[in-house]
Amino acid sequence: MNGSEAVPPSASLPAAPTLRVENLSVYLRSPAGEVQVVRDVSFTIGAGEAVGMVGESGSGKSVTGLALMRLLDPAKTRVEGRAYLGGRDILALPEREMRAVRGREMSMVFQESATALDPVFTVGTQLVETIRAHRDVSVKQARLRAIELLDAVGIAMPARRFGEYPHQMSGGMKQRVMIAMALACDPDLIIADEPTTAVDVTIQAQILDLLGRLSRERGVAILFITHDLGVVAEFCSRALTMYAGEVVEVADVAGLLAAPAHPYTAGLIRAIPRADDKGRDLYEIRGTVPSPTEMPGGCRFRPRCDHAGDVCGNEQALVTIASERKVRCVRSSEIEFEGVG
Amino acid sequence: MQRAGSIVLTLVLATVITFGLQKLVPGDPALAIAGEDATAQRVAEIRADLGLDRPFVVQYLDWLRGAVTGDLGTTIRGDASVWDLIGQRLPATLTLAAVALLFSIIIGVGAGVAAALRHGSKADTAVTAVATLGVAVPNFWLGMVIVVVFGLTLNWLPVSGYALPWEDFAAWARHVTLPAIALGTAGAAEIARQVRSALVEVLRSDFIRTHRAKGLPQRAVVWRHAMKNASLPLVTVVGLQISHLLGGTVVIESVFAIPGIGSLIVQSANQRDYPVIQGVVFVTALLIILTNLAVDLVYRYVDPRIGVRPARRAGLRRAQRGVTV
Amino acid sequence: MVAALATACGGTAQSDGDAGKPAKGGTLRVALAAQPSSFNPVLGNSGSADFIVQYSIFDTLTEFNSETGEVDPRLAESWTFSDPTTFVMTLRAGAAFHDGSPVDAEAVVWFLNHARGPEGGGAQVDLAKVESAEATGELEVTVQLTEPFTGLPWVLSGRSGMVMSRAAYEKDPEGFAQHPVGAGPYRFVSYKKGAKIELERFEDYWNPDGIYPDAVEFTIFQEPTTILNAIKSGEQNLSFSVSPKDVAQLESDPSVNVTTGSSYLLDQIHMNRSKKPLNDPRVRRALSLALDRDVFVKAATFGLGEPGYQFFPEDSPAAAPSIAVDNAPDLDQARSLMAEAGYGDGVGLTMLTQTSEIEVRKAEVLQAQLAEIGVELDIRPTELTQAVAEMFQDQSADLFFAYGVSRADVGDTINATFGAEALYNLPHEEHPAVMEKLAEANATSDIAERNKHLQAAAEAIADESLLLPVAFNPFIAVTTSSVHGVRVDAVLKPRLDGIWIEN
């Protein structure tokens, strides 16, 4: 539709972006037919850049991440669009070649480190096999590299931890192992899907710090998927807001937080807990994300929007409203948002 | 220590129950021995000779005293030692059960994995249907059918008798095939069902996605990671199968005229040969206890997370849940 | 395939066709349906499996002739009753045990004394009337009896005539049953208990004619179907343990020979005569009149075997011609007898039967027939040993349908069925009329005279309907088509003599 216009002008970046996604759509197959769950998503991430992808659960963020990794079951899903990594469209690669890309050029850090690690193998074994899946090294070399990685992600006594099983580790440590595994082969891109949701605030800070440092030092591009705008604020330079499978707003993080252009983004910002919130009820956007089979026509956020008007019944395009800024809301220039800024 | 206590308790219970059942079921070994010559007096004499006129508890304790010193006594006629008899028969049963188990595992795991990988496909439906049927088919019926087909009609394999592998390997291989298939089919079906449901569950896990995201080949993901994770219920069901196999030999050895402990217990039951029945139950109970011990050890290896006892329970739960899936 | 049905009891069925002349060689592989109870003949419990194996290892003093019902010489060349209580027998010269020791008068005397002595087991009963045995010559044995017992030559055709080697027995009395030594045509090689018995031909057997196979292997089966399959596939080549229901199918199979005939083994309804209602002879008589035995044989045993109207088969010398053999059942009379006895409105009876398909089928035919006179049979299929205990020890059932005793000596059969001590006799007391006739039969050495007394015993049994004869079991032998020379054995304890294997 109008997604292709949304590609940010590449002139604004010094080099070709690490990842360029164009018109990514994902459909779920079911006996009743196909249902679109991600619609025309386009964005880029440059080397060493961290881009946040925010939205409530059900907004299509994780599906976007998995679609890029090609980890969706082809029997149950269909993916359209293009995603360029290192000059190749990874959505068009044969599965065998894609296998060499996964873990090597791009890797993913999953949300639930508690279940994302194989419980019946030691973390060392899981690291070693990642390395050996892509590099022609001996077990011994791979072992040294794995211990090095564990050390690099801040795990104390890495040689001992190497031989431990996931259940012997704390949540934060498991998340570090996940990150180590993602870094094992020096990828260009890491998709981090809610990497800090399952850990406490202290660990969260440490992990964000770690990811940021790795991104800066190694020039890794990071797609940071989260529902937590606060984390995005700390960690990312740019952000996309996803709602109901669509990108509804693209902005630099500072601009986004200071002056959200989309009512949904504004709602998310308002819902961030603050120090002076004590004693007050936390703000919540009313209603829930619609199911893909019951998408409202026109603006998909309209049923939940405090500012909805008649014009919102029309199909909304993602329009550029400023340099590096786009929004999918026809009324965005008219609205004053409460509790933001 | 606790383990040793429970083993002893199991053995004592198994033997007390068998002993009690033998006494409860009417039919007097003295009658069996007397046969056509039975007169009331002769039957009484034989009973006295055998000590069957003594109180139940005395008889049991007498047997137990022998058993703990490794003496299982002689047949009721006194013409063979029970140990010798079991020693003669056990190799046939164990070799048969081993082949049947191997057959169950190979077919069961193969079919279960194939179905799980094509979860929801026609192949999956077919495997599930055949497995459901396979679990339900009585093994003696299956035995008779394959005898007619492969033994009598096609004339490929013998339909009766047995040989031991270390005596005549070729003869053994020919004699063991049909009974092992008859004996192992139900197990193969059960294993296929368990492996399928366990593997379907495991393949949905987050860590499988992690392995894929690492770029591991499908082969490694399935056989190395998914299988090891799915093997807890597999080990449980294999352990249960060993008990079932030992039970199944009672029927299959009769159908194929195999001189193992299964047919021995049938013969002994018909003749009310209490010491032999008792001895076979004792040895079988011992074998099953050893199997359970081995299963527990394998649990330890397969799943590092849980201690031995909880592992077994978890495995059982998963196996049971698998049954209802 | 030629299968002949020998209708006359004891008739010989020819199934050899044009197979040519008997030849020596080969291994006879015999499928048994049960394991021998013991290899020590005097300890055996007289089941068929015992005899088939023991006859090969142990030669007998005399041999029962199925065709004549009389006994022929075997190890004993001749015998005579010098008076009703003195039996003199002359042994054949040149017979030897497998261990080389001769079968002479001393050996036989030792055996008879052993058999009736404390180590004699079941044989004690057979020889209860023997007072002493002594060698009165190198080959002459004189047996003194406590009372007249002309059934003795018949008794000596069974286990009590299976002379054991004294040397072998005394060397290891306990182990004898594991290493039996006799004077029969085959010597013991090995036994895996409950599984397989191997024998090889005894080259010094006194009468090598008619002993053809080099070796005999007995394999013990549990499943009748497996026996059939093993014969069809050629893994076994002879079995006497085939059910009548399978005969028709086997007769149409060209790879199999079937030999059938009738036997002395009577399927009968044992009645608990010590309890109501069967303590009333009128009720017992009514049950007998209600049975249509021709229909029974056709419906239940596939036309094999013979209807049984009295205790002995019609062509047995002991059968009483006076027992009116009215082939048609008389339901009217049966009903009026029932009414007379006070059961005009019918009565319910429990009947134990064995669990095999064919036995249950037989019981169901009886159930249908007895229903005609208002007898409602409750059939309880029960495993044999348990059924015997329930019927004769606990007395918890009214009827027990089973085969009875089948001995070469019909007097012996009567004794085992109606003797004061016989377990199968309910009430457990001697029936004076029957036992009196038996004693008279045993008192005469004249065969014709003896048979007359036995007939009188049969009449006494029939008069009071002491038991309910139904049908005589068929003899059935099944072999692969290469095996010839099987003869019908009327007491279902066949010998392997004369059987040979075509090359």
Side-chain angles (χ1 to χ4, degrees):
Chain A
M1 220 163 292
N2 43 16
S4 55
E5 300 158 29
V7 178
S10 53
S12 69
L13 289 167
T18 304
L19 176 72
R20 192 171 83 238
V21 178
E22 294 178 357
N23 299 28
L24 179 77
S25 290
V26 179
Y27 303 83
L28 283 185
R29 299 177 205 261
S30 78
E34 287 188 344
V35 178
Q36 194 177 38
V37 290
V38 171
R39 186 184 190 186
D40 276 328
V41 171
S42 302
F43 62 92
T44 61
I45 309 176
E49 186 187 20
V51 172
M53 183 175 263
V54 292
E56 293 161 285
S57 48
S59 58
K61 312 172 307 242
S62 290
V63 175
T64 304
L66 291 171
L68 292 173
M69 288 298 286
R70 301 257 311 264
L71 288 174
L72 295 169
D73 184 350
K76 293 176 189 147
T77 52
R78 186 165 64 82
V79 176
E80 275 179 1
R82 289 162 300 282
Y84 295 97
L85 179 74
R88 286 177 304 176
D89 177 7
I90 52 173
L91 297 182
L93 285 180
E95 174 59 29
R96 208 168 45 80
E97 286 175 42
M98 185 61 203
R99 197 180 297 147
V101 172
R102 283 191 210 112
R104 171 87 185 77
E105 292 173 45
M106 65 193 292
S107 52
M108 190 155 176
V109 176
F110 293 97
Q111 181 174 358
E112 286 289 332
S113 59
T115 56
L117 287 173
D118 194 328
V120 303
F121 288 85
T122 60
V123 297
T125 309
Q126 298 185 55
L127 272 169
V128 163
E129 70 182 354
T130 314
I131 297 162
R132 283 169 52 83
H134 300 289
R135 298 234 165 110
D136 186 18
V137 294
S138 70
V139 177
K140 208 174 163 188
Q141 287 169 307
R143 186 174 190 275
L144 289 174
R145 164 84 179 138
I147 292 170
E148 212 178 281
L149 282 165
L150 289 174
D151 189 42
V153 296
I155 289 178
M157 291 183 292
R160 213 185 86 189
R161 293 299 188 185
F162 178 91
E164 286 186 358
Y165 289 94
H167 71 277
Q168 295 167 295
M169 296 182 154
S170 68
M173 212 182 297
K174 277 185 271 200
Q175 199 55 276
R176 285 167 198 266
V177 171
M178 280 300 298
I179 294 167
M181 214 176 279
L183 289 172
C185 297
D186 284 324
D188 302 323
L189 170 71
I190 292 177
I191 299 175
D193 186 356
E194 307 267 13
T196 57
T197 312
V199 294
D200 66 47
V201 184
T202 324
I203 308 292
Q204 173 174 323
Q206 290 172 3
I207 286 174
L208 291 180
D209 187 50
L210 169 69
L211 275 174
R213 187 161 49 84
L214 293 169
S215 169
R216 280 190 308 276
E217 288 172 3
R218 306 188 185 204
V220 184
I222 295 179
L223 176 62
F224 197 93
I225 298 172
T226 181
H227 66 279
D228 186 348
L229 263 175
V231 175
V232 171
E234 273 177 52
F235 185 70
C236 302
S237 51
R238 285 191 300 128
L240 298 94
T241 308
M242 294 267 302
Y243 182 77
E246 292 177 327
V247 175
V248 293
E249 183 164 3
V250 181
D252 65 288
V253 170
L256 187 88
L257 292 173
H262 196 282
Y264 180 60
T265 315
L268 290 176
I269 294 169
R270 209 179 149 191
I272 301 173
R274 291 161 213 246
D276 58 5
D277 275 347
K278 280 210 175 96
R280 277 194 296 156
D281 283 346
L282 208 56
Y283 175 79
E284 270 179 63
I285 304 171
R286 63 188 159 93
T288 51
V289 180
S291 111
T293 51
E294 289 156 359
M295 260 331 153
C299 174
R300 291 181 169 183
F301 187 60
R302 186 170 52 121
R304 303 176 70 190
C305 186
D306 294 331
H307 311 280
D310 291 346
V311 282
C312 301
N314 301 328
E315 199 72 12
Q316 305 285 307
L318 188 65
V319 294
T320 306
I321 51 170
S323 161
E324 295 286 307
R325 288 209 70 160
K326 297 188 184 118
V327 68
R328 197 186 291 276
C329 177
V330 72
R331 300 196 61 208
S332 75
S333 56
E334 307 164 16
I335 314 168
E336 283 286 319
F337 297 116
E338 185 189 327
V340 172
Chain B
M1 208 47 231
Q2 195 188 352
R3 166 61 57 92
S6 84
I7 289 175
V8 168
L9 189 66
T10 310
L11 281 175
V12 168
L13 274 179
T15 54
V16 166
I17 289 169
T18 342
F19 215 82
L21 282 178
Q22 291 172 32
K23 303 292 161 183
L24 285 177
V25 173
D28 187 333
L31 278 179
I33 291 174
E36 283 188 2
D37 304 311
T39 64
Q41 191 199 344
R42 184 157 164 69
V43 169
E45 273 170 24
I46 297 174
R47 288 180 60 84
D49 268 4
L50 299 175
L52 295 172
D53 49 355
R54 297 172 306 160
F56 171 83
V57 179
V58 175
Q59 290 184 51
Y60 177 74
L61 289 178
D62 198 38
W63 178 85
L64 194 63
R65 193 163 35 239
V68 293
T69 58
D71 178 10
L72 293 182
T74 65
T75 63
I76 204 148
R77 287 177 165 276
D79 58 356
S81 117
V82 172
W83 271 126
D84 287 353
L85 208 50
I86 292 171
Q88 273 176 24
R89 300 294 197 100
L90 202 54
T93 301
L94 293 184
T95 49
L96 169 63
V99 176
L101 188 65
L102 202 65
F103 172 82
S104 300
I105 293 174
I106 292 172
I107 301 290
V109 170
V113 169
L117 291 183
R118 293 164 189 78
H119 181 51
S121 71
K122 277 178 191 156
D124 179 25
T125 314
V127 167
T128 309
V130 171
T132 308
L133 197 70
V135 172
V137 166
N139 55 14
F140 72 88
W141 181 84
L142 184 72
M144 294 197 286
V145 169
I146 62 177
V147 157
V148 169
V149 174
F150 297 102
L152 299 179
T153 309
L154 297 171
N155 250 318
W156 288 352
L157 292 162
V159 300
S160 72
Y162 203 67
L164 291 174
W166 47 90
E167 283 167 1
D168 183 345
F169 189 84
W172 173 70
R174 290 182 334 111
H175 278 100
V176 80
T177 308
L178 293 184
I181 291 171
L183 190 56
T185 296
E190 189 56 39
I191 290 173
R193 282 156 46 115
Q194 296 292 349
V195 166
R196 179 192 164 277
S197 63
L199 202 54
V200 164
E201 198 180 316
V202 169
L203 286 173
R204 285 194 197 119
S205 323
D206 290 348
F207 62 83
I208 290 297
R209 199 177 55 190
T210 307
H211 288 309
R212 293 220 169 94
K214 295 190 321 195
L216 285 195
Q218 172 80 352
R219 204 166 4 96
V221 172
V222 172
W223 289 105
R224 188 168 145 81
H225 290 281
M227 271 316 285
K228 190 170 176 193
N229 274 281
S231 58
L232 210 59
L234 174 63
V235 171
T236 306
V237 74
V238 166
L240 291 174
Q241 284 312 314
I242 293 174
S243 315
H244 290 177
L245 283 176
L246 288 175
T249 58
V250 171
V251 171
I252 289 300
E253 287 178 2
S254 292
V255 167
F256 287 90
I258 294 171
I261 56 167
S263 55
L264 178 63
I265 206 163
V266 173
Q267 287 173 342
S268 309
N270 285 335
Q271 296 176 351
R272 300 293 190 275
D273 200 333
Y274 294 166
V276 178
I277 299 174
Q278 198 67 16
V280 172
V281 168
F282 180 74
V283 169
T284 309
L286 214 55
L287 284 175
I288 289 172
I289 288 169
L290 287 178
T291 303
N292 287 344
L293 272 176
V295 165
D296 282 350
L297 288 178
V298 176
Y299 276 143
R300 257 191 224 269
Y301 163 75
V302 164
D303 196 330
R305 274 171 299 183
I306 13 192
V308 170
R309 300 224 148 250
R312 177 143 179 79
R313 280 198 293 274
L316 273 168
R317 265 203 306 280
R318 290 176 77 167
Q320 280 158 1
R321 202 165 58 215
V323 171
T324 60
V325 165
Chain C
M1 209 277 329
V2 183
L5 180 71
T7 47
C9 162
T12 302
Q14 297 300 321
S15 56
D16 296 358
D18 46 2
K21 261 181 58 156
K24 289 207 184 251
T27 297
L28 193 61
R29 293 188 301 276
V30 186
L32 298 177
Q35 61 176 321
S37 59
S38 175
F39 286 136
N40 182 339
V42 299
L43 294 181
N45 68 2
S46 251
S48 274
D50 283 15
F51 279 85
I52 295 167
V53 179
Q54 288 169 2
Y55 273 143
S56 296
I57 303 174
F58 297 96
D59 213 356
T60 47
L61 289 165
T62 65
E63 177 178 0
F64 176 70
N65 184 323
S66 273
E67 289 176 52
T68 62
E70 290 174 12
V71 280
D72 294 340
R74 192 108 183 176
L75 284 172
E77 210 167 33
S78 65
W79 56 85
T80 179
F81 281 92
S82 57
D83 66 67
T85 56
T86 308
F87 177 76
V88 181
M89 125 180 101
T90 307
L91 301 174
R92 186 177 303 282
F97 291 106
H98 303 154
D99 60 11
S101 51
V103 183
D104 55 15
E106 242 171 80
V108 171
V109 166
W110 174 83
F111 171 71
L112 290 175
N113 286 331
H114 171 72
R116 67 197 189 89
E119 289 162 340
Q124 289 171 328
V125 185
D126 301 354
L127 300 172
K129 296 191 181 83
V130 172
E131 190 178 66
S132 69
E134 58 182 317
T136 45
E138 202 192 327
L139 295 173
E140 191 185 83
V141 177
T142 300
V143 177
Q144 285 298 333
L145 299 166
T146 55
E147 60 184 271
F149 180 39
T150 43
L152 186 59
W154 279 269
V155 166
L156 297 180
S157 73
R159 62 182 169 191
S160 297
M162 292 185 183
V163 191
M164 296 154 58
S165 160
R166 178 183 188 172
Y169 183 81
E170 288 183 341
K171 208 169 95 193
D172 180 11
E174 298 279 305
F176 184 84
Q178 283 89 61
H179 305 96
V181 177
Y186 290 92
R187 61 194 298 162
F188 175 86
V189 175
S190 72
Y191 178 41
K192 269 194 187 150
K193 190 170 162 57
K196 189 179 263 185
I197 303 142
E198 289 179 316
L199 309 180
E200 64 182 13
R201 191 167 55 213
F202 175 43
E203 295 300 346
D204 294 330
Y205 185 58
W206 64 270
N207 183 20
D209 299 341
I211 308 300
Y212 299 110
D214 293 336
V216 183
E217 260 178 42
F218 298 92
T219 305
I220 294 142
F221 288 72
Q222 276 82 51
E223 280 292 317
T225 319
T226 313
I227 295 185
L228 281 188
N229 293 338
I231 299 259
K232 285 187 201 162
S233 68
E235 289 157 33
Q236 301 291 317
N237 50 25
L238 169 63
S239 181
F240 300 105
S241 313
V242 170
S243 166
K245 76 179 162 60
D246 298 314
V247 166
Q249 175 218 349
L250 290 168
E251 281 177 338
S252 64
D253 185 335
S255 66
V256 171
N257 282 350
V258 185
T259 307
T260 57
S262 191
S263 77
Y264 284 14
L265 188 63
L266 180 62
D267 269 344
Q268 52 196 285
I269 302 177
H270 295 271
M271 296 173 285
N272 188 342
R273 283 181 277 111
S274 58
K275 282 200 310 194
K276 274 178 121 175
L278 295 160
N279 57 357
D280 188 333
R282 288 170 300 187
V283 177
R284 305 199 296 265
R285 175 79 186 138
L287 296 186
S288 185
L289 287 168
L291 296 183
D292 188 333
R293 295 166 170 88
D294 280 324
V295 168
F296 176 87
V297 169
K298 287 194 190 91
T301 61
F302 303 85
L304 296 164
E306 290 283 310
Y309 295 94
Q310 56 172 310
F311 199 47
F312 306 113
E314 274 173 67
D315 54 358
S316 152
S322 63
I323 298 174
V325 177
D326 184 358
N327 284 1
D330 192 337
L331 293 178
D332 291 338
Q333 204 196 332
R335 286 191 192 107
S336 66
L337 281 169
M338 288 296 281
E340 231 176 84
Y343 299 103
D345 299 332
V347 63
L349 298 175
T350 56
M351 184 171 85
L352 299 170
T353 182
Q354 289 179 65
T355 51
S356 69
E357 198 185 320
I358 185 97
E359 293 301 314
V360 173
R361 180 187 171 104
K362 288 173 182 175
E364 283 167 352
V365 173
L366 294 175
Q367 185 182 44
Q369 296 190 348
L370 292 179
E372 295 285 321
I373 61 161
V375 173
E376 201 183 308
L377 274 196
D378 172 21
I379 300 175
R380 301 217 320 256
T382 308
E383 183 269 328
L384 180 61
T385 313
Q386 183 176 341
V388 170
E390 285 187 19
M391 181 71 193
F392 301 110
Q393 286 185 329
D394 309 343
Q395 304 197 18
S396 59
D398 301 303
L399 307 170
F400 176 29
F401 176 70
Y403 49 76
V405 176
S406 167
R407 301 274 174 87
D409 174 30
V410 291
D412 208 7
T413 310
I414 293 175
N415 200 33
T417 315
F418 297 105
E421 280 155 11
L423 184 70
Y424 309 114
N425 188 20
L426 279 180
H428 293 306
E429 54 196 43
E430 183 168 296
H431 196 275
V434 177
M435 297 312 283
E436 210 170 275
K437 302 289 185 293
L438 178 60
E440 283 166 14
N442 279 332
T444 172
S445 54
D446 180 83
I447 301 280
E449 186 80 358
R450 175 181 160 82
N451 285 342
K452 250 173 48 197
H453 292 299
L454 291 173
Q455 289 171 11
E459 281 166 359
I461 294 165
D463 282 347
E464 290 195 54
S465 304
L466 295 182
L467 58 74
L468 213 51
V470 178
F472 290 96
N473 272 266
F475 168 91
I476 301 168
V478 176
T479 67
T480 50
S481 56
S482 60
V483 172
H484 308 277
V486 174
R487 288 175 304 160
V488 171
D489 185 87
V491 286
L492 300 186
K493 290 166 181 172
R495 295 175 190 257
L496 303 178
D497 302 5
I499 297 178
W500 58 282
I501 304 161
E502 204 180 321
N503 291 329

